[in-house]
Amino acid sequence: MSTVPESRGAESCGVQEEGRRMAWWLGLLLCAAGGMLTALAFVPFDLSMCVWVGLMPLVSVLWMGRRRSGFKGFLGAFGYGWVYGLFYFGTSFWWINEVSTLGYVPFMMYLAVYPALWAGLAGTWLRPRFEPFPEARDLPLEQRKARWSAWNVRDMAVTLRAVLGCSALWVVTEWLRGWVMTGFGWNGLGVALYSGLSMAQWAEFVGVTVLSFIPVMVNLWLWCVCRRVGGMMLKVGKRPIPWDFYALCVVLMMLFLGGMFFSLQYAPADFSKKGDASPHQTGELPVMAVQRNQTQREKSFTPPKVLYDDLLQATREGMESVYRGMLKATEKEGQVRVQMPAWVIWPESSLARSVLFDAETGNLLPDVFNQALLFGKGGVPALREDFGDFVLLTGGDLAYFDWQTRLPQKSYNALVAFEEDFDGMKDRRKQHLVPFGEYIPCRDIFPWLEDAFTHSAGFRMGSTFEKGDTVEPLPLRGALPGSKVGVIPAICYEDTVGRLLRRFVRPGNQVIVNVTNDGWFNQSFANEQHARNAAFRCIELRRPMVRASNTGMTVAYAPNGAVLDELRGEDGSPFVKGSLYARLPLDENAGYTLYALAGDWAVAACAVLVLLCGFLRLDVSGGSRRRG
């Protein structure tokens, strides 16, 4: 029979079973509060500091009191995580109600499954086996110090294993959210690191999904340190030295300073000033993006001629504004400081009629309507004659027409470019389609889905689109004679899908061009949230971006993710009609980033780390049981 005292037996077993579990209603309240606290880190609240503490209420529910075990324990932890996710995403994505309240509720219930899966595993399989606080009050001082010192070291080791495993697990669940059923990866915790730009720069190496590892790690480590320090203060009135916390602070400082260095390396330079050079900038591309500021309902009922007239007029007004600014700067400083736009970008679906192709031959068919309105009298040729040559990029629908049935066989949502006239059109087609936005899932099997969507949204969706398949960038002429700039196309919310855009990266001058129609979400914060998530593509690929939105956020980003310029009204609102002029930094020596080359390699590394930490925990606990 063992002669080890009961307290020592519990210590050697390595399992703390003392104390009752938290009341279920209190646990639910904490999870709901934690979810809303995490949501405050994102647009429109933008309180980024909340991301460093938002998980701690959920962790308190999962890691305090008696251990949950078995499938029943997993379900209990899963339920708490689901409530956390419901309030996290329900607050972050409230704007989905602008499109469909019918879709909002089930979509939030689905998204909440991913933090619930994390909580189920973090609360059972990866839950740290904290040792009980040692009973050493009656021991001599030196022995008491030694007992507490040994416990402190063991507790730091348990903390390290649990924190690394659970942080890596969060990355894996976020990656799944961005991949399963086409994926929706908006507002991962890494996106909250955009503030200040320094921490965000590490997305160049690992992608924004893996950046979530950092705030999760801080949340968990802070909780464990507070538990350890607070417990010892209560037990013996003395604070242990949290060496692991100091090490964490050093790591965070190194990440911050390293990120600051990369941010400065890729900051845009002012080429008009001598000596203001950037090691990653060899030229500039002047562009202008046009915004009409229409909701989807308004756009749907706008006659095609009115749509074209508005776009052409807004382009002319923007050109005149740039030209006046160029003359004013020249008179004041004696040198030309502004170039006329080499590219003009119109938003998604700005072509009022579909561009038709022969379904049998694939050839472009004559198009009297678009040709006359765009390239007829007073159209694009007149603008080029008055303000210099430019490339027009715009969103449009492409349809392959069958002459026998007189019906379109295939339709595509595309980015089209006109370097010369209409017949010389180039295009790149969208690959990441939006469910219920560009196609109705199981439309043929369940036709009532389309009717339900129409009733909820207030208008009927057009034809179902097909996916594009090419990953070759679109080569267009640049600002200098004979120069070429590759376009990385991003249509609609493709600018939030890093795994897609990385496939278009090639060495040399490249620009990400996003044409989008956020008019579906009216004047909600979805527009700014979309732009914030998109900014990370610039960091991941080290390419500048220009976004032309039908309404919402028309903005230009530098390769470090910083805003070059954005279209806003006098009151700061992005919901204005007008145009944005920006000079995008180019780097003819630009190569591949690690993320562009290897994609989500770090997610795979996190998956391996989860398994290592999980099985290491099982091995240690098993050994502990045998010793007990």
Side-chain angles (χ1 to χ4, degrees), residues 150-172:
W151 173 85
N152 194 33
V153 171
R154 291 194 300 271
D155 195 78
M156 285 191 285
V158 170
T159 295
L160 177 64
R161 186 168 59 248
V163 167
L164 292 181
C166 291
S167 300
L169 176 64
W170 185 278
V171 170
V172 173

Side-chain angles (χ1 to χ4, degrees), residues 547-602:
R547 304 181 74 247
S549 179
N550 186 54
T551 187
M553 281 296 291
T554 293
V555 60
Y557 290 112
N560 66 349
V563 175
L564 291 171
D565 208 344
E566 56 186 356
L567 180 62
R568 291 186 181 270
E570 294 181 357
D571 60 351
S573 171
F575 303 107
V576 294
K577 183 177 181 179
S579 61
L580 169 73
Y581 172 83
R583 294 179 296 168
L584 303 180
L586 298 177
D587 181 10
E588 63 184 11
N589 302 315
Y592 295 94
T593 63
L594 180 57
Y595 180 78
L597 276 175
D600 293 319
W601 68 271

